């Protein structure tokens, strides 16, 4: 449980960006494994990135998110965390 001192270190700012969600989709009869990336609020674009079997799970999700952020022209530092079905990225500010 965070202490009051921990909460005092949290800064909330409006970045104009929303969280990004990457979801893994397993192979089907017609498609290999892939990851879809979209805004968490459901708006905007969605992209699909093919699974790179030379990379691990974390690296595949990070690469898919990187491609999405590049497409959206959203710079700065992003923090990526794992979820049950993939990953989520939130804007951490300017590096």
């Amino acid at each position: 449980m965070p202490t009051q001192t921990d909460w005092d270190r949290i800064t909330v700012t409006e970045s104009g960006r929303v969280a990004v969600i990457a979801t893994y989709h397993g192979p089907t009869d017609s498609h290999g494994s892939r990851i879809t990336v979209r805004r968490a609020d459901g708006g905007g674009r969605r992209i699909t990135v093919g699974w790179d079997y030379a990379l691990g799970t974390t690296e595949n999700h990070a690469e898919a998110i990187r491609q999405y952020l590049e497409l959206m022209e959203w710079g700065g530092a992003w923090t990526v965390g794992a979820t049950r079905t993939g990953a989520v990225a939130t804007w951490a500010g300017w590096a």
Side-chain angles (χ1 to χ4, degrees):
M1 180 74 172
T3 65
Q4 184 59 44
T5 304
D6 294 332
W7 288 115
D8 291 340
R9 286 186 236 150
I10 296 173
T11 303
V12 177
T13 58
E14 175 56 49
S15 68
R17 294 163 173 84
V18 297
V20 175
I21 297 173
T23 305
Y24 171 78
H25 302 278
T28 65
D29 289 340
S30 59
H31 296 288
S33 295
R34 60 213 178 279
I35 298 171
T36 56
V37 185
R38 62 182 171 79
R39 290 170 41 150
D41 67 359
R45 298 183 73 168
R46 181 179 72 143
I47 67 168
T48 301
V49 178
W51 191 265
D52 182 344
Y53 291 93
L55 301 177
T57 301
T58 302
E59 293 83 7
N60 267 289
H61 283 90
E63 176 58 21
I65 290 170
R66 186 199 63 74
Q67 288 182 32
Y68 184 83
L69 297 175
E70 186 175 281
L71 175 71
M72 298 299 292
E73 297 180 355
W74 287 353
W78 287 76
T79 301
V80 178
T83 67
R84 186 177 54 81
T85 60
V88 64
T90 57
W91 191 68
W94 295 106

